[in-house]
């Protein structure tokens, strides 16, 4: 037996009670996030190795990033973590209207982040800073700068992909919340989605100083 559309919390037959079902869902998400940490960890290690090899080139390349837009996006994601926390709390209290509002607010903030990132990418394309045949940096660090921007696009691109997935998940949850699926007894999907969203936000908290602040006074 599973949770019905009206929101009456009934645990699945293979769980003892709702608490065990909730704890199992949370543990499953943490296990998934561990694999994500290892995935991003490889990119961070690659970044650290190349930065130690070419510190001057990475510093010069970092100056070509838009610090203001990066800082704004950092603030946007911090605000989205707050609205996600409020969404989880609203689910715990059984406040359906507030849950829907905070989920939508989180989606909107995530969309703002992606819009700003798309604007940044368009400028990098215009400035010929996308690695490939048309890449042009100028000066003595041309090849090393291309390595920096290769890592920049891989790391921020994968992060943006995770944001898109998160927005998709939250969009489904908005519909389910609006239909009354979640109650103060059953809100595990909101809880585990919140863990995922916070993980994506934390990844950016590391990306921002590593990519944007390495040569700023």
């Amino acid at each position: 037996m599973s949770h019905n559309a009206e929101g009456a919390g009934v645990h699945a037959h293979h769980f003892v009670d709702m608490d065990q079902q909730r704890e199992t869902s949370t543990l499953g998400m943490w296990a998934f996030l561990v694999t994500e940490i290892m995935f991003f960890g490889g990119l961070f290690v690659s970044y650290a190795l190349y930065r130690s090899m070419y510190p001057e080139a990475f510093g010069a390349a970092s100056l070509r990033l838009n610090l203001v837009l990066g800082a704004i996006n950092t603030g946007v994601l911090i605000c989205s973590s707050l609205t996600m926390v409020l969404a989880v709390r609203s689910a715990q209290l059984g406040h359906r209207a507030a849950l829907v509002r905070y989920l939508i607010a989180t989606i909107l903030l995530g969309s703002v982040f992606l819009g700003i990132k798309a604007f940044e990418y368009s400028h990098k394309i215009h400035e010929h800073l996308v690695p490939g045949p048309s890449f042009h940096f100028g000066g003595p660090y041309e090849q090393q700068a291309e390595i920096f921007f290769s890592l920049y696009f891989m790391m921020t691109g994968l992060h943006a992909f995770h944001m898109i997935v998160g927005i998709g998940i939250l969009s489904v949850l908005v519909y389910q919340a609006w239909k009354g699926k979640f109650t103060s007894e059953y809100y595990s999907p909101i809880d585990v989605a919140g863990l995922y969203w916070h993980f994506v936000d934390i990844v950016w908290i590391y990306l921002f100083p590593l990519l944007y602040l390495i040569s700023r006074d």
Side-chain angles (χ1 to χ4, degrees), residues 4-157:
N4 64 27
E6 287 72 35
V10 181
H11 60 82
H13 66 88
H14 48 281
F15 295 108
V16 174
D17 53 29
M18 292 296 293
D19 288 337
Q20 186 188 56
Q21 178 171 293
R22 185 180 306 116
E23 290 169 2
T24 302
S25 299
T26 302
L27 179 61
M29 176 53 74
W30 276 114
F32 169 74
L33 292 180
V34 168
T35 66
E36 290 288 282
I37 290 170
M38 291 189 291
F39 178 68
F40 275 101
L43 291 174
F44 281 115
V45 170
S46 298
Y47 171 89
L49 289 174
Y50 279 111
R51 179 178 169 184
S52 66
M53 294 169 60
Y54 311 117
E56 295 85 3
F58 270 47
S62 175
L63 291 174
R64 301 292 291 271
L65 299 181
N66 192 315
L67 178 61
V68 173
L69 292 181
I72 291 173
N73 258 352
T74 302
V76 167
L77 285 195
I78 291 173
C79 290
S80 77
S81 278
L82 173 60
T83 57
M84 191 67 235
V85 168
L86 293 173
V88 172
R89 184 55 179 166
S90 298
Q92 292 173 338
L93 297 175
H95 297 165
R96 183 172 68 173
L99 170 59
V100 171
R101 285 199 302 271
Y102 287 125
L103 287 176
I104 291 175
T106 306
I107 290 171
L108 292 176
L109 288 168
S111 299
V112 169
F113 176 92
L114 291 175
I116 292 175
K117 182 52 63 182
F119 181 77
E120 282 191 86
Y121 281 177
S122 68
H123 271 259
K124 296 299 168 286
I125 294 171
H126 178 73
E127 295 170 352
H128 300 285
L129 292 176
V130 178
S134 63
F135 182 84
H136 177 71
F137 186 77
Y141 302 126
E142 181 92 13
Q143 293 181 339
Q144 296 90 339
E146 188 169 10
I147 295 174
F148 173 88
F149 281 102
S150 295
L151 289 167
Y152 166 80
F153 280 105
M154 281 192 291
M155 297 170 84
T156 60

